[in-house]
Amino acid sequence: MSQDRSASPLILGGAPTPRAALPQLPPLALYIHIPWCVRKCPYCDFNSHAASPTLPEEEYVDALLADLDLELHAVHGRELSSIFFGGGTPSLFSAQALGRLLQGVEQRIAFASDIEITLEANPGTFEQEKFTAYRALGINRLSIGIQSFQEQKLKALGRIHNGDEAIRAAGMARQAGFDNFNLDLMHGLPDQSLDDALGDLRQAIAMKPTHLSWYQLTLEPNTVFWNQPPVLPEDDTLWDIQEAGQALLAEHGYAQYEVSAYAQPGRAARHNLNYWSFGDFIGIGAGAHGKLSHPDGRILRTWKTRLPKDYLNPAKPFKAGEKSLGNDELPFEFLMNALRLTDGVDAALFAQRTGLDLASLAEGRRQAEQSGLLQVEPSRLAATARGQLFLNDLLQYFLI
């Protein structure tokens, strides 16, 4: 565990700027990690593990609730605005197991009246009866991992479903009662042409999801693709795909509100918006991360034991580590999230979520504005179109 540096001053021109107590706590969300997949995909760097024929559902739900119990002291009196089941493939779990888990969560923390509850699912795990039961539990949003509709691309990505199953999944989601669902789609796939990428995107749009996550394949360390890299499209092709795809999405009423997120009006993912606006979230499950603010100004990041066997071992703690964010880290931490949003955030949110004066960003803002990466708009913190493309360069201006 790192040393608590929450009281350290931020030096601005030689003058320390103390952190104030937070005027109000941000919205609170819950992330639940279910780490098993049918098969590990070669591009995936998430904490996911190939499932055995029988999953330890009962034991894992018990562990999740015990993990949550240890977090309750820090969120007393607060309510959940959203819940997100991520993975792995959470839809491998039965409706009975998820129902017991949701019931246990609600017994411990109040749900907002309009709570958003999202479940990640893959087309290969879609079963009509099972998904109807999920909807009856109060799960009201699905995120379906399509990635591509083309057989050759799906095989290259190691996916277990085919294009027909992907198309049927959206219809089955609607029949199960889900009127709000996301499709995950990749571009920049091995040997992908502009026509290939736009064909995938047109097929996804034809399925009329309320939300599309459309993002470029990247090669991440500790993956099969990192060690055995496939042939990816040239930079010029990637740029053509990005431009043409964004225009196609806009034409069909999907507004880009984040680097890789597009939604119909009023259908932005509230859980993810909370992340990007530096809201709070409890993380439970193997390898889950959390971030919690305290009224005195302390902001803690936590992470849980990564391997499922260790997480399920009663002799080992759930929490693997905890870090209190220092004043010198907060500008970067806040902006790393907020500047992903296409419209940025109200500048006043910086002080509300960090306890630091907005003036602490003045020099970084000046330099970023001069570079053309940050919009010159005193009341907002927002990247320019160029800044969205070069977000890492933009964030360098706010490293202390």
Side-chain angles (χ1 to χ4, degrees), residues 96-395:
Q96 181 181 6
L98 295 187
R100 185 165 76 87
L101 176 55
L102 280 172
Q103 183 180 36
V105 172
E106 191 169 15
Q107 288 170 350
R108 290 160 171 81
I109 311 179
F111 286 10
S113 60
D114 61 345
I115 189 169
E116 175 192 88
I117 305 178
T118 301
L119 179 81
E120 286 188 336
N122 287 328
T125 65
F126 259 75
E127 303 168 23
Q128 185 65 51
E129 184 177 344
K130 188 178 184 181
F131 279 78
T132 301
Y134 288 157
R135 184 67 188 90
L137 296 175
I139 296 170
N140 52 24
R141 186 175 181 272
L142 289 179
S143 182
I144 307 171
I146 301 292
Q147 314 314 349
S148 178
F149 295 94
Q150 299 170 32
E151 300 301 319
Q152 182 183 5
K153 300 296 185 285
L154 289 168
K155 287 180 181 178
L157 292 173
R159 304 296 289 173
I160 64 170
H161 67 273
N162 59 41
D164 289 340
E165 288 175 318
I167 293 170
R168 286 199 299 271
M172 291 174 69
R174 284 198 183 86
Q175 290 171 22
F178 290 95
D179 62 355
N180 188 15
F181 66 93
N182 168 67
L183 299 182
D184 264 0
L185 200 66
M186 285 186 180
H187 60 90
L189 304 181
D191 298 315
Q192 188 178 48
S193 67
L194 173 61
D195 286 344
D196 287 339
L198 293 182
D200 270 348
L201 199 51
R202 288 190 183 97
Q203 178 61 71
I205 291 169
M207 294 161 68
K208 301 187 185 310
T210 49
H211 190 285
L212 272 163
S213 296
W214 187 61
Y215 51 95
Q216 184 179 321
L217 171 65
T218 56
L219 305 186
E220 302 291 347
N222 303 314
T223 65
V224 172
F225 274 4
W226 180 264
N227 295 313
Q228 303 170 31
V231 177
L232 299 181
E234 298 288 340
D235 286 347
D236 286 348
T237 300
L238 292 174
W239 180 249
D240 290 343
I241 290 171
Q242 185 75 31
E243 282 197 316
Q246 288 180 329
L248 183 64
L249 285 161
E251 178 187 337
H252 287 85
Y254 292 91
Q256 183 181 16
Y257 68 95
E258 188 268 343
V259 170
S260 58
Y262 303 77
Q264 293 178 344
R267 294 296 197 169
R270 283 166 33 206
H271 187 85
N272 288 338
L273 279 174
N274 188 51
Y275 284 152
W276 296 321
S277 58
F278 212 52
D280 280 355
F281 54 98
I282 303 167
I284 60 173
H289 286 241
K291 176 247 171 187
L292 289 176
S293 305
H294 296 260
D296 62 7
R298 287 178 302 127
I299 298 175
L300 299 180
R301 287 204 181 275
T302 60
W303 53 97
K304 302 300 172 64
T305 298
R306 182 175 175 84
L307 294 177
K309 67 180 181 65
D310 292 335
Y311 187 81
L312 289 169
N313 185 343
K316 297 192 176 184
F318 295 123
K319 186 181 290 184
E322 178 180 284
K323 176 183 175 58
S324 180
L325 295 177
N327 290 10
D328 56 337
E329 300 168 293
L330 278 170
F332 183 87
E333 287 271 341
F334 177 88
L335 293 167
M336 178 176 63
N337 292 283
L339 293 180
R340 290 182 63 91
L341 294 168
T342 306
D343 293 332
V345 296
D346 189 314
L349 192 67
F350 176 74
Q352 293 171 19
R353 297 287 160 89
T354 67
L356 295 174
D357 195 291
L358 183 62
S360 63
L361 298 181
E363 181 58 22
R365 291 180 79 178
R366 184 187 66 79
Q367 294 181 28
E369 288 168 358
Q370 287 182 347
S371 73
L373 299 178
L374 191 73
Q375 292 183 24
V376 182
E377 192 173 346
S379 65
R380 294 198 69 75
L381 294 165
T384 61
R386 184 166 173 265
Q388 287 275 314
L389 294 173
F390 299 99
L391 194 55
N392 288 338
D393 293 335
L394 169 55
L395 291 170

Side-chain angles (χ1 to χ4, degrees), residues 22-57:
L22 298 182
Q24 62 184 43
L25 294 176
L28 178 67
L30 174 65
Y31 175 76
I32 301 172
H33 191 74
I34 296 180
W36 291 283
C37 283
V38 173
R39 183 171 63 197
K40 180 83 171 180
C41 295
Y43 59 85
C44 178
D45 68 335
F46 295 147
N47 183 31
S48 60
H49 307 266
S52 58
T54 303
L55 290 174
E57 285 189 341

